[in-house]
Coordinates of all heavy atoms in Angstrom, one line a residue:
M741 N 145.5 87.9 84.0 CA 146.9 87.7 84.6 C 147.3 89.0 85.2 O 147.5 90.0 84.5 CB 147.8 87.3 83.5 CG 149.3 87.0 83.9 SD 150.3 86.4 82.6 CE 151.0 87.9 81.9
T742 N 147.6 89.0 86.4 CA 148.0 90.1 87.1 C 149.5 90.0 87.5 O 150.0 89.0 88.0 CB 147.3 90.3 88.5 OG1 145.9 90.3 88.2 CG2 147.7 91.6 89.2
P743 N 150.3 90.9 87.1 CA 151.8 90.9 87.5 C 152.0 90.9 88.9 O 151.2 91.4 89.7 CB 152.3 92.3 86.9 CG 151.3 92.8 85.9 CD 150.0 92.2 86.4
P744 N 153.0 90.3 89.4 CA 153.3 90.3 90.8 C 153.6 91.6 91.4 O 153.9 92.6 90.6 CB 154.6 89.4 91.0 CG 155.1 89.2 89.5 CD 154.1 89.6 88.5
P745 N 153.5 91.8 92.7 CA 153.7 93.2 93.3 C 155.1 93.6 93.0 O 156.1 92.8 93.0 CB 153.6 92.9 94.8 CG 152.9 91.6 94.9 CD 153.2 90.8 93.7
G746 N 155.3 95.0 92.7 CA 156.6 95.5 92.4 C 156.8 95.5 90.9 O 157.9 96.1 90.4
F747 N 155.9 95.0 90.1 CA 156.1 94.9 88.6 C 155.1 95.9 88.0 O 154.1 96.2 88.6 CB 155.9 93.6 88.1 CG 157.0 92.6 88.3 CD1 157.3 92.0 89.4 CD2 157.7 92.3 87.2 CE1 158.3 91.1 89.6 CE2 158.9 91.3 87.3 CZ 159.1 90.8 88.5
P748 N 155.5 96.5 86.7 CA 154.5 97.4 86.1 C 153.4 96.6 85.5 O 153.3 95.4 85.7 CB 155.4 97.9 85.0 CG 156.4 97.0 84.8 CD 156.7 96.3 86.1
G749 N 152.5 97.3 85.0 CA 151.3 96.6 84.3 C 151.7 95.6 83.3 O 152.7 95.6 82.8
T750 N 150.6 94.8 82.9 CA 150.8 93.8 81.9 C 151.4 94.4 80.5 O 152.2 93.7 80.0 CB 149.4 93.1 81.6 OG1 149.0 92.7 82.9 CG2 149.7 91.8 80.7
T751 N 150.7 95.4 80.0 CA 151.2 96.0 78.7 C 152.6 96.4 78.8 O 153.5 96.1 77.9 CB 150.3 97.2 78.4 OG1 148.9 96.9 78.4 CG2 150.7 97.7 77.0
K752 N 153.0 97.1 79.8 CA 154.5 97.4 80.0 C 155.4 96.2 80.1 O 156.5 96.2 79.5 CB 154.5 98.3 81.3 CG 155.7 99.2 81.2 CD 155.7 100.4 82.3 CE 156.7 101.4 82.0 NZ 156.6 102.5 83.0
L753 N 154.9 95.2 80.7 CA 155.7 94.0 80.8 C 156.0 93.4 79.5 O 157.0 93.0 79.1 CB 155.0 92.9 81.7 CG 155.1 93.0 83.2 CD1 154.3 92.0 83.9 CD2 156.5 93.0 83.7
F754 N 154.9 93.4 78.6 CA 155.0 92.7 77.2 C 155.9 93.6 76.5 O 156.7 93.2 75.6 CB 153.7 92.5 76.6 CG 153.0 91.3 77.1 CD1 151.9 91.5 77.8 CD2 153.4 90.1 76.6 CE1 151.2 90.2 78.3 CE2 152.9 88.9 77.0 CZ 151.7 89.0 77.9
V755 N 155.7 94.9 76.5 CA 156.7 95.8 75.7 C 158.1 95.7 76.2 O 158.9 95.6 75.3 CB 156.2 97.3 75.9 CG1 157.2 98.3 75.3 CG2 154.8 97.5 75.3
R756 N 158.3 95.5 77.4 CA 159.8 95.4 77.9 C 160.3 94.0 77.5 O 161.4 93.9 77.1 CB 159.8 95.5 79.4 CG 159.7 96.9 80.0 CD 159.7 97.1 81.4 NE 159.8 98.4 81.9 CZ 159.7 98.8 83.1 NH1 159.6 97.9 84.1 NH2 159.6 100.1 83.5
G757 N 159.5 93.0 77.4 CA 159.9 91.7 77.0 C 160.2 91.7 75.5 O 161.2 91.2 75.0
A758 N 159.4 92.4 74.7 CA 159.6 92.5 73.2 C 160.9 93.3 73.0 O 161.6 92.9 72.0 CB 158.4 93.2 72.6
L759 N 161.2 94.2 73.8 CA 162.4 95.0 73.6 C 163.6 94.4 74.3 O 164.7 95.0 74.3 CB 162.2 96.4 74.1 CG 161.1 97.3 73.4 CD1 160.8 98.5 74.1 CD2 161.5 97.5 71.9
R760 N 163.5 93.2 74.9 CA 164.6 92.4 75.5 C 165.1 93.2 76.7 O 166.4 93.4 76.9 CB 165.7 92.2 74.4 CG 165.2 91.3 73.3 CD 166.2 91.3 72.2 NE 167.5 91.0 72.6 CZ 168.2 89.9 72.7 NH1 167.5 88.7 72.4 NH2 169.4 89.7 73.1
K761 N 164.2 93.8 77.5 CA 164.6 94.5 78.7 C 164.1 93.9 80.0 O 163.3 93.1 79.8 CB 164.1 96.0 78.6 CG 164.7 96.8 77.5 CD 164.2 98.2 77.4 CE 164.7 98.9 76.2 NZ 165.8 99.8 76.5
C762 N 164.7 94.2 81.1 CA 164.2 93.6 82.4 C 162.8 94.0 82.5 O 162.3 95.1 82.4 CB 165.1 94.1 83.5 SG 164.6 93.6 85.1
P763 N 161.9 93.1 82.8 CA 160.4 93.2 83.1 C 160.2 94.1 84.3 O 159.3 94.8 84.3 CB 159.8 91.9 83.3 CG 161.0 91.0 83.7 CD 162.2 91.6 83.0
R764 N 161.0 94.0 85.3 CA 160.8 94.9 86.5 C 161.2 96.3 86.4 O 160.5 97.2 86.7 CB 161.4 94.2 87.7 CG 161.1 94.8 89.1 CD 161.3 94.0 90.3 NE 162.6 93.6 90.4 CZ 163.1 92.7 91.4 NH1 162.1 92.2 92.3 NH2 164.3 92.4 91.5
C765 N 162.5 96.5 86.0 CA 163.1 97.8 86.0 C 163.2 98.5 84.7 O 163.5 99.6 84.6 CB 164.5 97.8 86.7 SG 165.8 96.9 85.8
G766 N 163.1 97.7 83.6 CA 163.3 98.2 82.2 C 164.7 98.4 81.8 O 164.9 99.0 80.7
S767 N 165.6 97.9 82.5 CA 167.0 98.0 82.2 C 167.4 97.2 81.0 O 166.9 96.0 80.9 CB 167.9 97.8 83.4 OG 169.3 97.6 83.0
G768 N 168.3 97.6 80.1 CA 168.8 96.8 79.1 C 170.0 96.0 79.5 O 170.2 95.8 80.7
H769 N 170.7 95.4 78.6 CA 171.9 94.7 78.9 C 171.7 93.5 79.8 O 172.4 93.2 80.7 CB 173.0 95.6 79.5 CG 173.3 96.9 78.7 ND1 173.8 96.8 77.5 CD2 172.9 98.2 78.9 CE1 173.9 98.0 77.0 NE2 173.3 98.9 77.9
I770 N 170.6 92.8 79.6 CA 170.3 91.6 80.5 C 170.6 90.3 79.7 O 170.5 89.3 80.3 CB 168.8 91.6 80.9 CG1 167.9 91.5 79.8 CG2 168.5 92.8 81.8 CD1 166.4 91.2 80.1
F771 N 171.2 90.4 78.4 CA 171.6 89.3 77.7 C 173.1 89.3 77.6 O 173.7 90.3 77.3 CB 171.0 89.3 76.3 CG 169.5 88.9 76.3 CD1 168.5 89.9 76.5 CD2 169.2 87.6 76.1 CE1 167.2 89.5 76.5 CE2 167.8 87.2 76.1 CZ 166.8 88.2 76.4
R772 N 173.7 88.1 77.8 CA 175.1 87.9 77.7 C 175.5 87.8 76.2 O 176.3 88.4 75.7 CB 175.4 86.6 78.4 CG 177.0 86.4 78.5 CD 177.3 85.2 79.5 NE 177.0 85.6 80.8 CZ 176.1 85.0 81.7 NH1 175.5 83.9 81.2 NH2 175.9 85.4 82.9
H773 N 174.7 87.0 75.4 CA 174.7 86.8 74.0 C 173.3 87.0 73.5 O 172.3 87.2 74.3 CB 175.3 85.5 73.5 CG 176.7 85.2 74.1 ND1 177.8 85.9 73.7 CD2 177.1 84.5 75.1 CE1 178.8 85.5 74.3 NE2 178.4 84.6 75.2
Y774 N 173.1 86.9 72.2 CA 171.7 87.1 71.7 C 170.7 86.2 72.3 O 169.6 86.7 72.6 CB 171.7 87.1 70.2 CG 170.4 87.7 69.6 CD1 170.3 89.0 69.5 CD2 169.3 86.8 69.3 CE1 169.0 89.5 69.0 CE2 168.2 87.4 68.8 CZ 168.0 88.8 68.7 OH 166.9 89.3 68.2
F775 N 171.0 84.9 72.5 CA 170.0 84.0 73.0 C 170.3 83.6 74.5 O 169.6 82.8 75.0 CB 170.0 82.8 72.2 CG 169.4 83.0 70.8 CD1 170.1 82.9 69.7 CD2 168.0 83.3 70.7 CE1 169.5 83.2 68.4 CE2 167.4 83.5 69.5 CZ 168.2 83.4 68.3
T776 N 171.3 84.1 75.1 CA 171.8 83.7 76.4 C 171.5 84.9 77.4 O 172.1 86.0 77.3 CB 173.2 83.4 76.5 OG1 173.5 82.4 75.5 CG2 173.6 82.8 77.9
I777 N 170.5 84.7 78.3 CA 170.2 85.7 79.3 C 171.1 85.6 80.5 O 171.5 84.4 80.9 CB 168.6 85.6 79.6 CG1 168.3 86.9 80.3 CG2 168.4 84.4 80.4 CD1 166.8 87.1 80.5
K778 N 171.4 86.7 81.1 CA 172.2 86.6 82.3 C 171.3 86.0 83.4 O 170.1 86.1 83.3 CB 172.6 88.1 82.7 CG 173.6 88.7 81.7 CD 174.0 90.1 82.1 CE 174.9 90.6 81.1 NZ 175.1 92.1 81.4
E779 N 172.0 85.6 84.4 CA 171.1 84.9 85.6 C 170.4 86.0 86.4 O 169.3 85.7 86.8 CB 172.1 84.2 86.5 CG 172.8 83.0 85.9 CD 173.5 82.2 86.8 OE1 173.5 82.4 88.1 OE2 174.3 81.3 86.3
D780 N 170.9 87.2 86.6 CA 170.3 88.3 87.3 C 170.3 89.6 86.5 O 171.2 89.8 85.7 CB 171.0 88.5 88.6 CG 171.0 87.1 89.5 OD1 169.9 86.6 89.7 OD2 172.1 86.8 89.9
C781 N 169.3 90.5 86.7 CA 169.3 91.8 86.1 C 170.5 92.6 86.8 O 170.6 92.7 88.0 CB 168.0 92.5 86.4 SG 168.0 94.2 85.9
P782 N 171.3 93.2 86.0 CA 172.5 94.0 86.6 C 172.1 95.2 87.3 O 172.8 95.7 88.2 CB 173.4 94.3 85.3 CG 172.5 94.1 84.1 CD 171.4 93.3 84.5
K783 N 170.9 95.7 87.1 CA 170.5 96.9 87.8 C 169.7 96.6 89.0 O 169.8 97.1 90.1 CB 169.6 97.8 86.8 CG 169.2 99.0 87.4 CD 168.5 100.0 86.4 CE 168.1 101.3 87.0 NZ 167.3 102.0 86.0
C784 N 168.6 95.7 89.0 CA 167.7 95.6 90.0 C 167.9 94.1 90.7 O 167.3 93.9 91.9 CB 166.2 95.7 89.7 SG 165.6 94.3 88.7
G785 N 168.6 93.3 90.1 CA 169.0 92.0 90.7 C 167.8 91.0 90.6 O 167.9 89.9 91.1
L786 N 166.8 91.2 89.7 CA 165.8 90.2 89.5 C 166.5 89.0 88.9 O 167.2 89.0 87.9 CB 164.8 90.7 88.4 CG 163.7 89.8 88.1 CD1 162.8 89.5 89.3 CD2 162.8 90.4 86.9
H787 N 166.1 87.8 89.5 CA 166.7 86.6 89.1 C 165.9 86.0 87.9 O 164.7 85.8 88.1 CB 166.7 85.5 90.2 CG 167.4 84.3 89.9 ND1 168.7 84.2 89.6 CD2 166.9 83.0 89.9 CE1 169.1 83.0 89.4 NE2 168.0 82.2 89.6
F788 N 166.5 85.7 86.7 CA 165.8 85.2 85.6 C 165.9 83.7 85.6 O 167.0 83.1 85.4 CB 166.3 85.7 84.3 CG 166.3 87.2 84.2 CD1 167.5 87.9 84.1 CD2 165.1 87.9 84.3 CE1 167.4 89.3 84.0 CE2 165.1 89.2 84.2 CZ 166.2 90.0 84.0
E789 N 164.7 83.0 85.8 CA 164.8 81.5 85.9 C 163.4 81.0 85.5 O 162.3 81.6 85.9 CB 165.1 81.1 87.3 CG 165.3 79.6 87.4 CD 165.7 79.2 88.8 OE1 165.2 79.8 89.8 OE2 166.5 78.2 89.0
R790 N 163.4 80.0 84.6 CA 162.2 79.4 84.2 C 161.5 78.7 85.5 O 162.2 78.2 86.3 CB 162.4 78.3 83.2 CG 163.1 78.7 82.0 CD 162.0 79.2 80.9 NE 162.8 79.4 79.7 CZ 162.4 80.4 78.9 NH1 161.3 81.1 79.2 NH2 163.1 80.6 77.7
E791 N 160.2 78.8 85.5 CA 159.5 78.3 86.7 C 159.6 76.7 86.5 O 159.7 76.1 85.4 CB 158.1 78.7 86.8 CG 157.2 78.2 85.7 CD 155.9 78.9 85.7 OE1 155.9 80.2 86.0 OE2 154.9 78.3 85.5
Q792 N 159.5 75.9 87.7 CA 159.6 74.5 87.7 C 158.4 74.0 86.9 O 157.4 74.4 86.9 CB 159.5 74.0 89.2 CG 160.1 72.7 89.3 CD 160.2 72.4 90.8 OE1 159.4 72.9 91.6 NE2 161.1 71.5 91.1
G793 N 158.8 72.9 86.0 CA 157.8 72.3 85.1 C 157.6 73.2 83.8 O 156.7 72.7 83.0
Y794 N 158.4 74.0 83.5 CA 158.3 74.8 82.3 C 158.3 74.0 81.0 O 157.6 74.2 80.1 CB 159.3 75.9 82.2 CG 159.3 76.7 80.9 CD1 158.5 77.9 80.8 CD2 160.2 76.5 80.0 CE1 158.4 78.5 79.7 CE2 160.2 77.2 78.7 CZ 159.3 78.3 78.7 OH 159.3 79.1 77.5
W795 N 159.2 73.0 81.0 CA 159.5 72.2 79.8 C 158.5 71.0 79.8 O 158.5 70.3 78.7 CB 160.9 71.7 79.8 CG 161.8 72.9 79.7 CD1 162.7 73.3 80.7 CD2 162.1 73.7 78.6 NE1 163.5 74.4 80.2 CE2 163.1 74.7 79.0 CE3 161.6 73.7 77.3 CZ2 163.5 75.6 78.0 CZ3 162.1 74.7 76.4 CH2 163.0 75.6 76.7
V796 N 157.7 70.7 80.7 CA 156.8 69.6 80.7 C 155.9 69.5 79.5 O 155.7 68.6 78.9 CB 156.1 69.4 82.0 CG1 155.1 68.3 82.0 CG2 157.1 69.1 83.1
G797 N 155.3 70.7 79.2 CA 154.3 70.9 78.1 C 155.0 70.6 76.7 O 154.5 69.8 75.9
A798 N 156.2 71.1 76.6 CA 157.0 70.9 75.3 C 157.4 69.5 75.1 O 157.2 68.9 74.1 CB 158.2 71.7 75.3
L799 N 157.7 68.8 76.2 CA 158.0 67.4 76.2 C 156.8 66.5 75.9 O 156.9 65.7 75.0 CB 158.7 67.0 77.6 CG 159.3 65.6 77.7 CD1 160.4 65.5 76.8 CD2 159.6 65.3 79.1
A800 N 155.7 66.9 76.4 CA 154.4 66.1 76.2 C 154.1 66.2 74.7 O 153.7 65.2 74.1 CB 153.3 66.6 77.0
W801 N 154.3 67.4 74.1 CA 154.0 67.7 72.6 C 154.9 66.9 71.8 O 154.4 66.3 70.8 CB 154.0 69.1 72.3 CG 152.7 69.9 72.6 CD1 152.4 70.6 73.6 CD2 151.6 69.7 71.9 NE1 151.1 71.0 73.5 CE2 150.5 70.5 72.5 CE3 151.2 69.0 70.7 CZ2 149.2 70.6 71.9 CZ3 149.8 69.0 70.2 CH2 148.9 69.9 70.8
V802 N 156.2 66.9 72.2 CA 157.1 66.1 71.3 C 156.8 64.7 71.2 O 156.7 64.0 70.2 CB 158.6 66.4 71.8 CG1 159.5 65.3 71.1 CG2 159.0 67.8 71.4
I803 N 156.5 64.1 72.5 CA 156.1 62.7 72.5 C 154.9 62.4 71.7 O 154.8 61.4 71.0 CB 156.0 62.2 74.0 CG1 157.4 62.3 74.7 CG2 155.4 60.9 74.1 CD1 157.3 62.2 76.2
A804 N 153.9 63.2 71.8 CA 152.7 63.0 71.1 C 152.8 63.0 69.6 O 152.3 62.3 68.9 CB 151.6 64.0 71.6
I805 N 153.6 64.1 69.1 CA 153.8 64.2 67.8 C 154.6 63.0 67.2 O 154.3 62.5 66.2 CB 154.6 65.5 67.4 CG1 153.6 66.7 67.7 CG2 155.0 65.6 66.0 CD1 154.3 68.0 67.7
V806 N 155.7 62.6 67.9 CA 156.4 61.5 67.4 C 155.6 60.2 67.5 O 155.7 59.4 66.5 CB 157.8 61.3 68.2 CG1 158.5 60.0 67.9 CG2 158.7 62.5 68.0
M807 N 154.8 60.0 68.4 CA 154.0 58.8 68.5 C 153.0 58.8 67.3 O 152.7 57.8 66.7 CB 153.3 58.7 69.8 CG 154.2 58.2 70.9 SD 154.9 56.6 70.6 CE 153.6 55.5 70.5
A808 N 152.4 60.0 67.1 CA 151.4 60.1 66.0 C 152.2 59.7 64.7 O 151.5 59.0 63.8 CB 150.9 61.5 66.0
L809 N 153.3 60.3 64.5 CA 154.0 60.0 63.2 C 154.4 58.6 63.1 O 154.2 57.9 62.1 CB 155.3 60.9 63.2 CG 156.1 60.8 62.0 CD1 155.5 61.3 60.7 CD2 157.4 61.5 62.2
F810 N 154.8 57.9 64.2 CA 155.1 56.5 64.2 C 153.8 55.7 63.8 O 153.9 54.8 63.0 CB 155.6 56.1 65.7 CG 155.8 54.6 65.8 CD1 157.0 54.0 65.4 CD2 154.8 53.8 66.3 CE1 157.2 52.7 65.5 CE2 155.0 52.4 66.4 CZ 156.2 51.9 66.0
I811 N 152.7 56.0 64.5 CA 151.4 55.2 64.2 C 151.0 55.4 62.8 O 150.6 54.4 62.1 CB 150.4 55.6 65.2 CG1 150.8 55.1 66.6 CG2 149.0 55.0 64.9 CD1 149.9 55.8 67.8
I812 N 151.0 56.6 62.3 CA 150.6 56.8 60.9 C 151.5 56.1 59.9 O 151.0 55.4 59.0 CB 150.5 58.4 60.6 CG1 149.5 59.0 61.4 CG2 150.5 58.6 59.1 CD1 149.6 60.5 61.5
T813 N 152.8 56.2 60.2 CA 153.7 55.5 59.3 C 153.5 54.0 59.4 O 153.5 53.3 58.3 CB 155.2 55.9 59.6 OG1 155.3 57.3 59.6 CG2 156.2 55.3 58.7
F814 N 153.3 53.5 60.6 CA 153.1 52.0 60.7 C 151.8 51.6 60.0 O 151.9 50.5 59.3 CB 153.0 51.7 62.3 CG 152.8 50.3 62.6 CD1 153.8 49.4 62.5 CD2 151.5 49.9 62.9 CE1 153.6 48.0 62.8 CE2 151.3 48.5 63.2 CZ 152.3 47.6 63.2
V815 N 150.7 52.3 60.2 CA 149.5 51.9 59.5 C 149.6 52.0 58.0 O 149.1 51.1 57.2 CB 148.4 52.9 60.0 CG1 147.1 52.7 59.2 CG2 148.1 52.5 61.5
V816 N 150.3 53.1 57.5 CA 150.5 53.2 56.0 C 151.3 52.0 55.5 O 150.9 51.4 54.5 CB 151.1 54.5 55.7 CG1 151.6 54.5 54.2 CG2 150.2 55.7 56.0
I817 N 152.4 51.6 56.2 CA 153.1 50.5 55.8 C 152.4 49.2 55.7 O 152.4 48.4 54.8 CB 154.5 50.3 56.7 CG1 155.4 51.4 56.4 CG2 155.1 48.9 56.5 CD1 156.6 51.5 57.4
M818 N 151.6 49.0 56.8 CA 150.7 47.8 56.9 C 149.7 47.8 55.8 O 149.5 46.7 55.1 CB 150.0 47.8 58.3 CG 150.8 47.5 59.4 SD 151.6 45.9 59.4 CE 153.3 46.3 59.5
I819 N 149.0 48.9 55.5 CA 148.0 49.0 54.4 C 148.7 48.7 53.0 O 148.0 48.0 52.3 CB 147.3 50.4 54.5 CG1 146.4 50.5 55.7 CG2 146.5 50.6 53.2 CD1 145.8 51.9 55.9
L820 N 149.8 49.2 52.8 CA 150.4 49.1 51.5 C 151.1 47.7 51.3 O 151.2 47.3 50.1 CB 151.5 50.2 51.3 CG 151.0 51.6 51.2 CD1 152.1 52.6 51.1 CD2 150.1 51.8 50.1
T821 N 151.4 47.0 52.3 CA 152.2 45.8 52.2 C 151.6 44.5 52.6 O 152.0 43.4 52.4 CB 153.6 46.0 52.9 OG1 153.3 46.1 54.3 CG2 154.4 47.0 52.3
V822 N 150.4 44.5 53.3 CA 149.7 43.3 53.7 C 149.3 42.5 52.5 O 148.9 43.1 51.6 CB 148.5 43.7 54.6 CG1 147.6 42.5 54.8 CG2 148.9 44.3 56.0
P823 N 149.5 41.2 52.5 CA 149.9 40.4 53.6 C 151.4 40.1 53.8 O 151.8 39.4 54.7 CB 149.1 39.1 53.2 CG 149.2 39.1 51.8 CD 149.1 40.5 51.3
E824 N 152.2 40.4 52.8 CA 153.7 40.2 53.1 C 154.3 41.6 53.5 O 154.9 42.3 52.7 CB 154.2 39.7 51.8 CG 153.7 38.4 51.3 CD 154.3 37.8 50.1 OE1 155.5 38.2 49.9 OE2 153.7 37.0 49.5
V825 N 154.4 41.8 54.8 CA 155.0 43.0 55.4 C 156.5 42.8 55.4 O 157.0 41.9 56.0 CB 154.4 43.2 56.8 CG1 155.1 44.4 57.5 CG2 152.9 43.4 56.8
P826 N 157.2 43.7 54.8 CA 158.6 43.8 54.8 C 159.2 44.2 56.2 O 159.3 45.4 56.5 CB 159.1 44.7 53.7 CG 157.9 45.6 53.6 CD 156.7 44.9 54.0
V827 N 159.6 43.2 57.1 CA 159.9 43.5 58.4 C 161.1 44.4 58.4 O 161.2 45.5 59.2 CB 160.1 42.3 59.3 CG1 160.5 42.6 60.7 CG2 158.7 41.6 59.3
G828 N 162.1 44.0 57.7 CA 163.4 44.8 57.7 C 163.2 46.3 57.3 O 163.8 47.2 57.9
L829 N 162.5 46.4 56.2 CA 162.3 47.7 55.7 C 161.4 48.6 56.7 O 161.7 49.8 56.9 CB 161.5 47.8 54.4 CG 161.2 49.1 53.7 CD1 162.5 49.8 53.5 CD2 160.4 48.9 52.4
S830 N 160.4 48.0 57.3 CA 159.6 48.6 58.3 C 160.5 49.1 59.5 O 160.3 50.2 59.9 CB 158.5 47.7 58.8 OG 157.6 47.2 57.7
L831 N 161.3 48.2 59.9 CA 162.2 48.7 61.1 C 163.1 49.6 60.6 O 163.4 50.6 61.5 CB 162.9 47.4 61.6 CG 162.1 46.4 62.3 CD1 162.8 45.1 62.7 CD2 161.4 46.9 63.6
A832 N 163.6 49.7 59.4 CA 164.5 50.7 58.8 C 163.9 52.0 58.9 O 164.5 53.0 58.9 CB 165.1 50.3 57.6
I833 N 162.6 52.0 58.7 CA 161.9 53.3 58.7 C 161.4 53.8 60.0 O 161.5 55.0 60.5 CB 160.6 53.3 57.7 CG1 161.1 53.0 56.3 CG2 159.7 54.5 57.8 CD1 160.1 52.7 55.3
L834 N 160.8 52.8 60.8 CA 160.2 53.1 62.1 C 161.2 53.4 63.2 O 161.0 54.3 64.0 CB 159.2 52.0 62.5 CG 158.0 51.8 61.5 CD1 157.2 50.6 61.9 CD2 157.1 53.1 61.6
V835 N 162.2 52.6 63.3 CA 163.2 52.8 64.4 C 163.9 54.3 64.3 O 164.0 54.9 65.4 CB 164.3 51.8 64.3 CG1 165.4 52.0 65.3 CG2 163.6 50.3 64.7
P836 N 164.3 54.7 63.1 CA 164.8 56.1 63.1 C 163.8 57.1 63.5 O 164.2 58.2 64.2 CB 165.3 56.3 61.7 CG 165.6 54.9 61.2 CD 164.5 54.1 61.8
I837 N 162.6 56.9 63.3 CA 161.5 57.9 63.7 C 161.5 57.9 65.2 O 161.5 59.1 65.8 CB 160.1 57.5 63.1 CG1 160.1 57.7 61.6 CG2 159.1 58.2 63.8 CD1 158.8 57.2 60.9
M838 N 161.6 56.8 65.8 CA 161.5 56.9 67.3 C 162.8 57.2 67.9 O 162.9 57.8 69.0 CB 161.2 55.4 67.7 CG 159.8 55.1 67.4 SD 158.5 56.3 67.8 CE 158.5 56.1 69.6
L839 N 163.9 57.0 67.2 CA 165.3 57.4 67.8 C 165.5 58.9 67.6 O 165.9 59.6 68.5 CB 166.4 56.6 67.2 CG 166.5 55.1 67.7 CD1 167.6 54.5 66.8 CD2 166.7 55.0 69.1
F840 N 165.2 59.4 66.4 CA 165.7 60.8 66.0 C 164.5 61.8 66.1 O 164.7 63.0 66.0 CB 166.4 60.7 64.7 CG 167.6 59.8 64.6 CD1 167.6 58.7 63.8 CD2 168.7 60.2 65.5 CE1 168.7 57.9 63.8 CE2 169.8 59.3 65.5 CZ 169.8 58.2 64.7
G841 N 163.3 61.3 66.1 CA 162.1 62.2 66.1 C 162.2 63.1 67.3 O 162.0 64.3 67.1
P842 N 162.3 62.6 68.5 CA 162.3 63.6 69.7 C 163.5 64.5 69.6 O 163.6 65.5 70.2 CB 162.4 62.7 70.9 CG 161.9 61.3 70.4 CD 162.3 61.2 68.9
Ligands
LIG1072 ZN1 165.9 94.8 86.4

């Protein structure tokens, strides 16, 4: 991974990130609150913005985990209750997983 032109080396970038400083100029005071970053660096004007598609990976993982939890729960309910599956109880367990899991 090579930093873009005008940026310091990779090690310096990681150190500045860990210290919550601007990656390009090293200036502090780039956070409005502890978890809220300002839109631009007050010293060099670097615009802080997630690249397009940043959240796609996280979204895919959440969907995969919730689907796996749903399938495992469904199979366990089926194994434990066949041949008389309690539909109401199954729905009471499975629907909240799909509604509140993500
Ligand atoms: Zn800066």
Side-chain angles (χ1 to χ4, degrees):
M741 182 173 92
T742 306
F747 280 75
T750 305
T751 305
K752 204 168 194 174
L753 281 177
F754 278 109
V755 170
R756 285 179 176 174
L759 296 175
R760 302 168 44 92
K761 295 180 184 259
C762 174
R764 183 161 63 188
C765 68
S767 168
H769 308 291
I770 61 171
F771 284 86
R772 190 169 290 121
H773 301 287
Y774 193 80
F775 290 111
T776 307
I777 195 167
K778 294 177 181 173
E779 290 184 15
D780 302 302
C781 174
K783 186 175 177 186
C784 71
L786 177 66
H787 186 62
F788 302 119
E789 185 177 34
R790 304 267 187 216
E791 62 188 46
Q792 207 168 21
Y794 177 81
W795 297 106
V796 173
L799 189 61
W801 273 105
V802 166
I803 291 169
I805 290 169
V806 170
M807 283 305 298
L809 183 64
F810 175 85
I811 291 168
I812 290 168
T813 307
F814 179 79
V815 169
V816 168
I817 290 172
M818 290 296 124
I819 290 171
L820 294 177
T821 60
V822 164
E824 295 185 23
V825 177
V827 176
L829 178 63
S830 301
L831 289 175
I833 294 170
L834 295 172
V835 169
I837 289 175
M838 295 308 290
L839 285 178
F840 302 114

